[in-house]
């Protein structure tokens, strides 16, 4: 249905009602006036007829037609009225306007017929004689013997009609004026009703659009006023509720966003309802484009969908581990729980994700470490056992052999001791760094490096290696002296061990940008490219037999790296096979941020 404005309903209705009323009243008034005029004319004609009847009666009784005619002509001219006298048998005896002899019998004229019955006859019609509309009134001329004739008076209706026309014009003008006036008033009244309603409609549209800042203006009309007040009250209530909902949503989102666990909520069709940043980062999806999208399409992991499907189907708590392949493999612990409506019906699932990659790696490192330690310890222990058994079996045997065996046993025991000491050292650094108990002090690097060099001096001399220390004596940095010296000794010890006799090892310290760089450079065996990334791992040795020969445990570099990391620094290696190696320690400018891994 075509919609129309209220104004265009009210206004035409008012106008139509007014038009009908004005037309009816105009018509009625005009009719009354017309009737009044005609009645007045008829009354005047009757009065004249009665007066004339008095004068005409004796002449009629005498049937003196000539006298009657001249009387009619004289008086007719005097009172501007047509006067006709007719005999009871319809013959015109006298007429003020025409020759009676030329006139036809008037016995059939309605007013005459009526007058002959003794009443006042009246008729308005077109006169063929005078060729105009006339009003006739006829009264009987009574004599003692009965009706002697009929006295008829008549006037043309043109004058009456002219007067009536003027009256009609005035009534019509008044009606039109009234209509225009009522149209203006109707429009004003319609506007007064439709205006506030329109305002309320606009207000309701604003409310629907979420703008509650502007109230609907309250009109004067009581009904509209209470409607507007109800609308405003409703809007205020709605506004408060929406604010509460928005605030609660923001709080929920803030809680979700600040969680380190990933949270994914899906509905029954496995479409994502919500996903927090942590989950998006773990699952490697763009958090801004997840809402309403299918989990299948977003998350490319079969295990995740198995967990989600199982929760939606069985409604229980499901836990499982998800592995996401890629550049860095990520291991996620997922636990899914159903979302239920009031009635207990499952409407979706919430899956909480925990990134356990680091944990799993640490577990693996620990497992490998235990295996490595056991392996490293077993070799010397097996050897010691073998030689001890041999000694027991050959007790009292060859003196020289026994001494050699005992030397080997001592060597293995020393190795065991070295490994155990290194392990204890490693665990101590880890513990200190883990508890953030590493005590740092501003120390001259020259002091630390000279005492490390002094510690390695005897080994250097034994292997005919020269150590050269170049550093600015003023250079100071924040260090844990004992640990740091140990790290440098380990690097220096390696440099001497893997150098060729007669070569030189250079130790230097310098500032570069804000960093302090300590380097230990040798010109010895060097390390092949493929080993370079692994030599800092625990127990990793490039050439096991050679390292053991020089008393290595495979833990020296690992300890050095741990110490440097506990100082917030990093250790780097540059090496060319058969040309030599340079180990550089980079320490940051201010303090330290230990990163033990
Ligand atoms: P080790 O106690 O066996 O020396 P490290 O952890 O100190 O153990 O070193 C690991 C391995 O790295 C050594 O076994 C050795 O093969 C290699 N390496 C370390 N420093 C050097 C160096 N300066 N020149 C050549 N090889 C080195």
């Amino acid at each position: 249905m075509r919609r129309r404005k209220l104004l265009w309903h009210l206004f035409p209705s008012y106008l139509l009602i007014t038009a009908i009323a004005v037309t009816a009243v105009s018509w009625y008034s005009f009719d009354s006036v017309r009737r009044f005029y005609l009645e007045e004319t008829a009354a005047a004609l009757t009065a004249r007829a009665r007066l004339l009847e008095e004068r005409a009666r004796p002449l009629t009784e005498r049937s003196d037609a000539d006298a009657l005619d001249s009387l009619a002509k004289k008086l007719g001219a005097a009172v501007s009225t047509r006067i006709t006298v007719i005999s009871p048998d319809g013959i015109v005896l006298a007429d003020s306007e025409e020759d009676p002899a030329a006139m036809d019998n008037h016995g059939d004229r309605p007013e005459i017929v009526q007058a002959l019955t003794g009443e006042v006859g009246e008729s308005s019609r077109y006169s063929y004689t005078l060729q105009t509309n006339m009003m006739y009134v006829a009264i009987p001329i009574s004599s003692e013997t009965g009706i002697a004739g009929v006295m008829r008076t008549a006037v043309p209706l043109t004058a009456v009609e002219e007067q009536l026309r003027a009256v009609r014009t005035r009534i019509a003008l008044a009606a039109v004026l009234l209509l225009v006036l009522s149209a203006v008033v109707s429009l004003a009244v319609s506007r007064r009703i439709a205006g506030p309603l329109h305002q309320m409609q606009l207000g309701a549209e604003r409310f629907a659009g979420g703008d509650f800042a502007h109230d609907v203006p309250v009109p004067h009309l009581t009904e509209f006023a209470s409607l507007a007040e109800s609308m405003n009250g409703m809007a205020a209530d709605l506004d408060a509720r929406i604010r509460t909902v928005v605030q609660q949503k923001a709080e929920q989102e803030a809680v979700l966003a600040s969680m380190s666990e990933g949270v994914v909520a899906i509905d029954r069709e496995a479409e994502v309802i919500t996903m927090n940043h942590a989950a998006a980062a773990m699952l490697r999806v763009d958090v801004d484009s997840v809402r309403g999208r299918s989990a299948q399409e977003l998350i490319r992991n079969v295990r995740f969908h198995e967990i989600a499907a199982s929760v939606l189907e069985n409604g229980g708590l499901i836990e499982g581990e998800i592995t996401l392949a890629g550049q860095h493999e990520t291991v996620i612990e997922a636990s899914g729980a159903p979302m239920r409506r009031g009635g207990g019906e499952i409407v979706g699932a919430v899956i909480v994700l925990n990134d356990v990659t680091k944990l799993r790696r640490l577990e693996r490192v620990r497992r490998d470490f235990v295996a490595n330690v056991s392996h490293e310890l077993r070799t010397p222990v097996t050897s010691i056992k073998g030689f001890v058994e041999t000694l027991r079996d050959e007790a009292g045997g060859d003196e020289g052999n026994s001494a050699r065996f005992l030397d080997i046993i001592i060597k293995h025991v020393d190795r065991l001791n070295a490994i155990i000491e290194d392990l204890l050292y490693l665990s101590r650094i880890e513990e200190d760094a883990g508890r953030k108990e590493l005590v740092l002090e501003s120390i001259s690097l020259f002091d630390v490096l000279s005492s490390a060099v002094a510690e390695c001096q005897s080994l250097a001399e034994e292997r005919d290696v020269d150590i050269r220390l170049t550093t600015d004596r003023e250079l100071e940095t924040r260090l844990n002296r004992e640990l740091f010296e140990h790290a440098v000794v380990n690097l220096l010890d390696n440099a001497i061990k893997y150098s060729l006799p007669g070569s030189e090892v250079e130790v230097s310290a310098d500032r570069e940008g804000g960093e302090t760089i300590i380097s230990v450079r040798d010109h010895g065996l060097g390390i092949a490219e493929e080993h370079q990334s692994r030599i800092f791992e625990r127990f990793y040795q490039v050439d096991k037999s050679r390292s053991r020969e020089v008393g290595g445990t495979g833990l020296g570099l690992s300890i050095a790296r741990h110490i440097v990391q506990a100082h917030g620094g990093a250790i780097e290696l540059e090496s060319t096979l058969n040309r030599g190696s340079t180990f550089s320690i980079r320490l940051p400018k201010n303090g330290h941020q230990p990163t033990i891994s």
Side-chain angles (χ1 to χ4, degrees), residues 148-212:
V150 173
M151 167 59 69
R152 190 179 80 165
T153 49
V155 284
L157 279 176
T158 28
V160 176
E161 273 165 7
E162 232 160 69
Q163 272 172 321
L164 279 177
R165 206 172 300 135
V167 170
R168 192 167 51 213
T169 314
R170 283 167 69 182
I171 289 179
L173 265 175
V176 168
L177 210 72
L178 214 68
L179 263 179
V180 170
L181 207 74
S182 72
V184 172
V185 173
S186 302
L187 194 65
V189 171
S190 305
R191 280 229 169 109
R192 232 176 116 74
I193 296 172
L197 272 178
H198 181 61
Q199 288 295 325
M200 274 189 260
Q201 177 210 340
L202 292 179
E205 278 169 11
R206 275 201 308 273
F207 293 159
D211 172 14
F212 297 106

Side-chain angles (χ1 to χ4, degrees), residues 444-461:
S444 149
L445 266 176
F446 180 78
D447 280 359
V448 180
L449 298 182
S450 334
S451 54
V453 170
E455 206 172 308
C456 299
Q457 201 59 53
S458 60
L459 180 73
E461 277 166 16

